[in-house]
Amino acid sequence: MKYLLIFLLVLVVFVISVTLGAHNDQVVPFNFLLAAGEYRISTLLATLFAVGFLLGWAICGLFWLRVRVALANSQRKLKRLQQQLGEAEAPVTTSRVPAVKE
């Protein structure tokens, strides 16, 4: 449900940006790092929105991947420690020697 709401929010923002861009056919100068050019506002708005959206997903994806790798390593260490603990406790629990002699 949460992802559906996020998707709808992104869709609404995209539709609003396309609508505003479609009604603004002015050509504006845009200077960026490597070059400069004159673009229509609608094209510039859609392009920058798409680049920002993809860049945001890429950054979030990298953080998610880092967390998943850390979780996998932690689970592997936990499993190894549980196996070592099980091996250490096994001889103690199988002993049939009485603790107190009468």
Side-chain angles (χ1 to χ4, degrees), residues 12-26:
V12 166
V13 169
F14 183 73
V15 168
I16 289 173
S17 66
V18 169
T19 304
L20 289 175
H23 291 294
N24 293 317
D25 288 334
Q26 295 176 343

Side-chain angles (χ1 to χ4, degrees), residues 5-60:
L5 292 175
I6 291 172
F7 176 74
L8 288 176
L9 179 66
V10 169
L11 186 65
V12 166
V13 169
F14 183 73
V15 168
I16 289 173
S17 66
V18 169
T19 304
L20 289 175
H23 291 294
N24 293 317
D25 288 334
Q26 295 176 343
V27 176
V28 294
F30 182 70
N31 298 325
F32 47 100
L33 293 176
L34 300 175
E38 295 201 3
Y39 303 99
R40 291 188 334 179
I41 289 180
S42 59
T43 306
L44 192 60
L45 184 64
T47 304
L48 291 178
F49 179 79
V51 168
F53 186 77
L54 293 175
L55 186 63
W57 270 102
I59 290 171
C60 288

Side-chain angles (χ1 to χ4, degrees), residues 66-80:
R66 189 176 76 175
V67 168
R68 292 295 298 177
V69 168
L71 178 63
N73 288 338
S74 297
Q75 287 176 339
R76 189 171 37 248
K77 286 179 184 179
L78 178 63
K79 188 175 181 180
R80 188 178 326 127

